[in-house]
Amino acid sequence: MSKLKNLGVNLGLTLGGLFMGVVIGEIGLRVAKIEGYPKIGDFVDSAPTGFHTSDPNLGWKLKPGASGEWNGEGASLVQVNSEGLRDREHTKAKPPNTLRVAVLGDSFTEAIHVPVEQTFWSKLERKLGNCEAVKGRKKVEVMNFGVQGYSTAQQLMMLRKKVWDYSPDIVILAFFIGNDIINNSPQLEYDRYRPFFSYDASGKLVPDMSFRNLAPIDRNERAVSFVDRMPSLLVNNSRILQVIKKVDLERKKRELSDDFTHLSTYNLKEPQDAAWQEAWRVTEGLIVTMRDEVVQKNAEFLVVTIGDPVQVRPEAEKRKNFMTKNNIQDLFYPDRRLEKLGAREGFRVLNLSEQIQDYTEKYQVCAHGFENSVPCGGHWNELGHRLASILINRNVCENLKQSQVPKKQP
């Protein structure tokens, strides 16, 4: 009995000590005004910013009518129209004598990092209006269907669910080399709250919408802490748990940055394993499917590749060191691969990276990056958008001119 009594006393002292430690910790954190992250219900929103909201078909989308200042990377006033596009209002019925261009893409196309008038699609509209094949004949409307974080799969769904309502004459797919291939793979992508496509036994690409069945807390493993699995009442009344949550999420954020930096180098190489082989296979299949549907609608299809920031750094030595360190043979491997796909499948591909690299190296300037973010990294700045608009306009305008040339009779 004495042993049990001693054990009980020791256990009581241990638990009492722990309890007092927790109480002192809670009081100390409050006195020091050290705060963490509370738990907001049981919902983890996969939407990337406050301008976005979850969507059962696309994963997320822009909130119709949302507006506000953006200062996270670059700066702009974000205004979302009534149809959920970062664009002005457009009638669904195409006005007479109008050339409509629809641009699909991700954050480079949504482009909240710069004011609307500086975006490549806004500049493209003005430039195309001066194209000889259009000027004086038609009005030009370039519509922005880009949404931050979208994969090629989500862009195909956007084409089907929204773009065709506006009867575009040209569809441009802005493909970001830096992560679009990763986004298309459930094996490589960490954010699962999105549709994926896969090949069935007959070799047909079919959508996988199982993300709809994910519990909110399981949608994005990098956006939740183990603390989030505890009851809300407990977390929201414990400063210690809130601080632990903050520390845990900041650790995950650092790990994500390191992991993605490593993973993204594989975008610039031939597929190294089965996961990357399948990611490329699905990606190419999605692009060809998109081409088929555009052609069926009697519209023109153009793929524009947006380069990874490292491809267009102005310092040749830094690019060379990056390639050596990561065993990369050709910095433009993905661009050339997509160009070959276009040649094989009969659609145009405009690779921007090499041409933008020529400019940035010649003038020693950065097409990516902002003063309030990573220098020469991240998204296009105003220069990047301007260069892209010039190159895309040149390609589209030339194609419009060629389409007007009468074909010789046999």
Side-chain angles (χ1 to χ4, degrees), residues 150-169:
Y150 267 20
S151 63
T152 317
Q154 288 164 295
Q155 290 153 10
L156 175 60
M157 303 284 278
M158 174 69 88
L159 178 73
R160 292 170 171 175
K161 293 185 175 297
K162 184 159 286 190
V163 172
W164 294 129
D165 291 344
Y166 294 88
S167 305
D169 303 286

Side-chain angles (χ1 to χ4, degrees), residues 145-204:
F145 291 89
V147 178
Q148 185 168 330
Y150 267 20
S151 63
T152 317
Q154 288 164 295
Q155 290 153 10
L156 175 60
M157 303 284 278
M158 174 69 88
L159 178 73
R160 292 170 171 175
K161 293 185 175 297
K162 184 159 286 190
V163 172
W164 294 129
D165 291 344
Y166 294 88
S167 305
D169 303 286
I170 302 171
V171 174
I172 296 176
L173 171 64
F175 185 94
F176 177 44
I177 295 299
N179 62 22
D180 279 7
I181 303 155
I182 295 170
N183 294 157
N184 292 324
S185 167
Q187 285 74 44
L188 301 175
E189 175 57 57
Y190 67 90
D191 185 351
R192 301 298 183 82
Y193 194 67
R194 63 173 81 222
F196 290 98
F197 276 73
S198 61
Y199 283 97
D200 64 13
S202 67
K204 181 182 178 182

Side-chain angles (χ1 to χ4, degrees), residues 35-207:
E35 297 183 352
Y37 297 146
K39 183 176 179 181
I40 305 173
D42 293 316
F43 183 71
V44 177
D45 195 348
S46 188
T49 76
F51 302 111
H52 302 80
T53 186
S54 295
D55 181 87
N57 295 310
L58 294 162
W60 60 88
K61 62 182 179 182
L62 283 161
K63 294 178 186 176
S67 65
E69 295 284 343
W70 169 260
N71 293 291
E73 177 190 3
S76 72
L77 171 64
V78 178
Q79 292 181 306
V80 183
N81 72 15
S82 61
E83 289 295 319
L85 309 177
R86 194 203 174 196
D87 202 344
R88 67 178 189 275
E89 297 290 342
H90 293 270
T91 60
K92 288 190 175 181
K94 184 170 61 178
N97 298 318
T98 298
L99 175 73
R100 257 191 182 165
V101 181
V103 185
L104 291 160
D106 59 8
S107 52
F108 278 84
T109 304
E110 185 187 88
I112 63 175
H113 322 93
V114 297
V116 166
E117 62 271 14
Q118 291 184 4
T119 62
F120 76 89
W121 42 268
S122 179
K123 290 177 180 288
L124 177 63
E125 182 175 274
R126 297 191 292 272
K127 293 180 188 302
L128 272 180
N130 292 317
C131 174
E132 288 182 14
V134 177
K135 191 174 182 179
R137 298 182 180 89
K138 289 186 176 183
K139 177 184 176 183
V140 176
E141 283 187 350
V142 177
M143 301 183 61
N144 174 30
F145 291 89
V147 178
Q148 185 168 330
Y150 267 20
S151 63
T152 317
Q154 288 164 295
Q155 290 153 10
L156 175 60
M157 303 284 278
M158 174 69 88
L159 178 73
R160 292 170 171 175
K161 293 185 175 297
K162 184 159 286 190
V163 172
W164 294 129
D165 291 344
Y166 294 88
S167 305
D169 303 286
I170 302 171
V171 174
I172 296 176
L173 171 64
F175 185 94
F176 177 44
I177 295 299
N179 62 22
D180 279 7
I181 303 155
I182 295 170
N183 294 157
N184 292 324
S185 167
Q187 285 74 44
L188 301 175
E189 175 57 57
Y190 67 90
D191 185 351
R192 301 298 183 82
Y193 194 67
R194 63 173 81 222
F196 290 98
F197 276 73
S198 61
Y199 283 97
D200 64 13
S202 67
K204 181 182 178 182
L205 266 180
V206 293

